[in-house]
Amino acid sequence: MTELLTTINSLWQDIIAHPGTSLAIIGNLILIESLLSVDNAAVLATMVMDLPENQRDRALKYGIWGAYFFRGVAMIFASALIAIWWLKPIGGLYLLYLVYSWYKDKQKEGGEEEKVNKEGNWLYRVTVGSIGHFWATVCLVELMDMAFSIDNVFAAVAFTPNIILVCIGVFIGILAMRFIAQWFVGLMQKYNFLETAAFVVIAILGVKLALSLYEHFYPETAFSKFLGSHAADIGISVLTAAVFFVPILTSTFFNFPMKTKPVAHK
């Protein structure tokens, strides 16, 4: 117990000693939570579209509460992710896999929107006969919430090993998720290139986590010391924010990248 209190006190002292870095990390954690929530919300909305209209909002509300619950449980995994060194590079590779999977889907001929095949999911098939179409869909939504929570934990821990900062950032992100996600949906509809920017951010975080493998085996090198420094934390925070917001500024003032996709001439 004494050791735990000492650790918590040390983490708080680190936050107090570096307020600028801490605020930048918290801001980026909220940003990442919101970016991932937009993608998550799009998938969940697709999953409930085959329900009667009067049941869709109810299913999504259950999904929101499930997201809150699983994000909370995921914080326990965040503690483990920070404590167990080899989980970090695995998490980094997983984030990079998400980016690769997104890129591969974007390259599919025709660019058709991917639909969720509920009938092909084992949980839906097992539950639909006993609890009905609506509750089987809710169960599937909750399963997706659990998977999305793991994504968010890997992304959050890439920013900082300070579990207090991770919890503060993700908790605020959870509270703001419903409102910020709506704003991001509008923003991403206006600036269609922001989907790419979001996955570039996830790729940066994946690389940072994957580099912890080098940091573990070669801790005395200058590069490893830099990776573990506050300068690296704030640098990643500034870079990820720039990847997302700089294109918005250049698009607003110079129309590059263009806000809307050009219409192909036949």
Side-chain angles (χ1 to χ4, degrees):
M1 188 61 165
T2 303
E3 185 178 349
L4 177 61
L5 292 174
T6 302
T7 301
I8 292 174
N9 181 63
S10 175
L11 293 175
W12 275 115
Q13 290 300 321
D14 185 59
I15 293 170
I16 294 169
H18 305 89
T21 303
S22 300
L23 288 174
I25 289 171
I26 290 172
N28 273 276
L29 288 174
I30 295 171
L31 174 64
I32 289 299
E33 181 75 25
S34 301
L35 286 172
L36 292 175
S37 295
V38 170
D39 189 48
N40 300 356
V43 174
L44 297 183
T46 303
M47 292 175 68
V48 302
M49 285 306 293
D50 63 336
L51 291 174
E53 190 171 348
N54 63 332
Q55 293 184 353
R56 292 174 190 169
D57 286 343
R58 192 152 57 100
L60 286 175
K61 284 179 182 177
Y62 288 128
I64 291 285
W65 285 110
Y68 291 165
F69 173 76
F70 286 118
R71 293 296 194 279
V73 172
M75 287 300 93
I76 299 173
F77 290 98
S79 302
L81 189 59
I82 289 172
I84 304 173
W85 75 267
W86 50 265
L87 286 178
K88 289 185 181 181
I90 290 177
L93 293 175
Y94 177 67
L95 290 181
L96 292 174
Y97 169 76
L98 291 180
V99 177
Y100 168 74
S101 179
W102 166 81
Y103 178 77
K104 186 173 67 173
D105 289 341
K106 293 288 284 186
Q107 299 305 308
K108 286 181 180 177
E109 187 176 356
E112 295 181 357
E113 185 178 351
E114 185 178 356
K115 291 182 168 56
V116 177
N117 179 20
K118 293 198 293 190
E119 287 73 15
N121 183 276
W122 64 271
L123 181 62
Y124 184 84
R125 292 199 308 269
V126 168
T127 55
V128 68
S130 55
I131 61 177
H133 185 50
F134 173 77
W135 287 108
T137 299
V138 170
C139 288
L140 194 56
V141 166
E142 300 301 345
L143 179 66
M144 296 302 292
D145 276 331
M146 184 168 62
F148 291 148
S149 295
I150 295 171
D151 298 349
N152 289 37
V153 165
F154 282 138
V157 173
F159 272 108
T160 176
N162 190 318
I163 188 62
I164 294 178
L165 283 179
V166 170
C167 288
I168 292 173
V170 174
F171 181 71
I172 295 174
I174 290 171
L175 294 179
M177 181 170 59
R178 188 168 186 176
F179 307 103
I180 294 179
Q182 292 174 348
W183 176 67
F184 266 94
V185 167
L187 199 63
M188 293 177 85
Q189 287 174 343
K190 183 177 180 181
Y191 301 100
N192 57 78
F193 53 81
L194 289 184
E195 181 184 11
T196 300
F199 278 92
V200 170
V201 168
I202 294 172
I204 291 170
L205 299 179
V207 169
K208 185 177 185 292
L209 274 179
L211 285 174
S212 65
L213 189 66
Y214 177 88
E215 191 178 355
H216 176 78
F217 286 107
Y218 304 99
E220 298 303 320
T221 64
F223 185 58
S224 292
K225 290 178 180 177
F226 171 74
L227 287 175
S229 68
H230 286 286
D233 288 340
I234 198 165
I236 291 292
S237 297
V238 170
L239 177 61
T240 53
V243 166
F244 195 77
F245 289 110
V246 168
I248 294 178
L249 294 175
T250 59
S251 179
T252 300
F253 292 106
F254 306 108
N255 198 30
F256 179 81
M258 287 185 290
K259 293 181 184 179
T260 56
K261 297 178 181 177
V263 178
H265 296 285
K266 292 183 180 180

